[in-house]
Amino acid sequence: MTDAVSAAPLPRRPSAVRRAWSAYRARGRTIPVLTVLVVLVAFWYAAALWVNADRAERLIGQTGEEGIVAYATAVWNMERPALPAPHQLAEAMWDQATGQPVTSNRSAVHHMGVTIWSTLVGFLAGTALGIILAIGIVHVRTLERSLMPWVIASQTIPILALAPIFVVVLGQLGVTGVWPKALIATYLSFFPVTIAMVKGLRSPDILQRDLMHTYSATGGQVFRMLRWPSAVPFLFPALKVGIALSIVGAIVAEVSTAAQAGLGAWLLQGSYHGLVFRMWGALFFASALAIAAIAVITLIERMVVRSRGGTA
């Protein structure tokens, strides 16, 4: 036994060629993204020169300086530009996130926290609603014929028109605070989950279903052992879309209700008072929230795939 153990081959480390190939593949994914980013930033700087041209000419006329360097310096360092340069916006966002106490109403972190809470409540409710509707549509033919057209039609109504109605009706019922915003986030996020899960629950072919019936499997066993595992790969892409839509719904609700906190309120206050950096900061903070949320869902997806014996 000892000889057999000692004779067992030791696990081999990845060769230099494999490590180089892995690094090359990682570089192959990174370089295109960085290239697009550089192009966008260059375009942004050029757009700032064009959009702020009138104000820059007045500033240069006051200082008496001439030349393209003076012109670009004036444009990219305005206190209240129509279109801020990327470095200006980065500095402003850093100050908005770190320059105030987190509990302050002037802190971007505080407003992000409010939006995150509304988003999570709406996203979880929308996901649960979407899964329940999908299960009902797949298993009950009457629900498919009567409910599916309304699920699709619900997304044809602009959310900007529905948000004030939701808020007014719920306010009459005494429902205020996070719940009206979460309801709007739910309204936007349940649709992709419903459609994806209907497709996923129906993805097993007839041979697989017949095999389960051959084994005398009950409806619950067919769902647990066949339909649900087949639907999981469809669920996670829908969750990524749903979380992004939930963030949009929460922000639209904050704008529609003239809320006092949240990224929507941050954006609205900037619009009212002409605070350009606050408006742009709200947009980029919302994008950062969406990217972070999608990254978390992607991580959960990989964990689920690996737990099922797959590779991710």
Side-chain angles (χ1 to χ4, degrees), residues 47-243:
L49 290 175
W50 178 61
V51 172
N52 300 313
D54 293 339
R55 299 184 182 183
E57 290 177 358
R58 289 197 296 268
L59 289 176
I60 293 175
Q62 294 173 1
T63 59
E65 297 180 357
E66 297 181 357
I68 187 63
V69 175
Y71 175 76
T73 302
V75 169
W76 293 337
N77 293 281
M78 289 181 178
E79 292 185 3
R80 304 188 70 172
L83 176 62
H87 70 276
Q88 290 181 292
L89 182 58
E91 293 174 358
M93 290 178 62
W94 178 258
D95 181 66
Q96 292 165 1
T98 62
Q100 302 290 335
V102 175
T103 56
S104 171
N105 196 45
R106 300 179 63 183
S107 170
V109 177
H110 168 71
H111 292 282
M112 290 174 69
V114 173
T115 300
I116 289 172
W117 176 238
S118 303
T119 297
L120 286 179
V121 173
F123 172 68
L124 294 176
T127 299
L129 177 61
I131 292 174
I132 292 171
L133 288 176
I135 293 173
I137 290 170
V138 168
H139 289 86
V140 182
R141 183 61 62 87
T142 303
L143 287 180
E144 179 185 4
R145 295 176 178 177
S146 61
L147 194 59
M148 195 63 175
W150 291 107
V151 170
I152 297 173
S154 68
Q155 302 303 302
T156 63
I157 304 174
I159 190 61
L160 284 174
L162 284 179
I165 297 175
F166 283 167
V167 172
V168 171
V169 172
L170 292 175
Q172 294 291 332
L173 299 175
V175 180
T176 58
V178 70
W179 300 111
K181 297 182 289 184
L183 178 61
I184 297 172
T186 301
Y187 175 81
L188 288 180
S189 63
F190 90 96
F191 178 75
V193 176
T194 302
I195 299 301
M197 288 300 292
V198 168
K199 180 68 174 177
L201 292 172
R202 286 178 172 167
S203 61
D205 57 39
I206 187 66
L207 294 178
Q208 293 173 314
R209 297 198 298 271
D210 286 344
L211 181 61
M212 295 295 292
H213 292 309
T214 301
Y215 292 143
S216 300
T218 64
Q221 289 173 328
V222 172
F223 175 82
R224 187 177 69 256
M225 297 180 177
L226 180 61
R227 290 191 182 273
W228 179 258
S230 300
V232 169
F234 294 82
L235 175 61
F236 283 101
L239 293 181
K240 295 174 187 178
V241 176
I243 190 65

Side-chain angles (χ1 to χ4, degrees), residues 17-32:
V17 175
R18 290 186 178 182
R19 291 196 299 269
W21 174 247
S22 300
Y24 174 77
R25 290 183 60 188
R27 195 184 310 118
R29 291 190 294 265
T30 304
I31 291 177

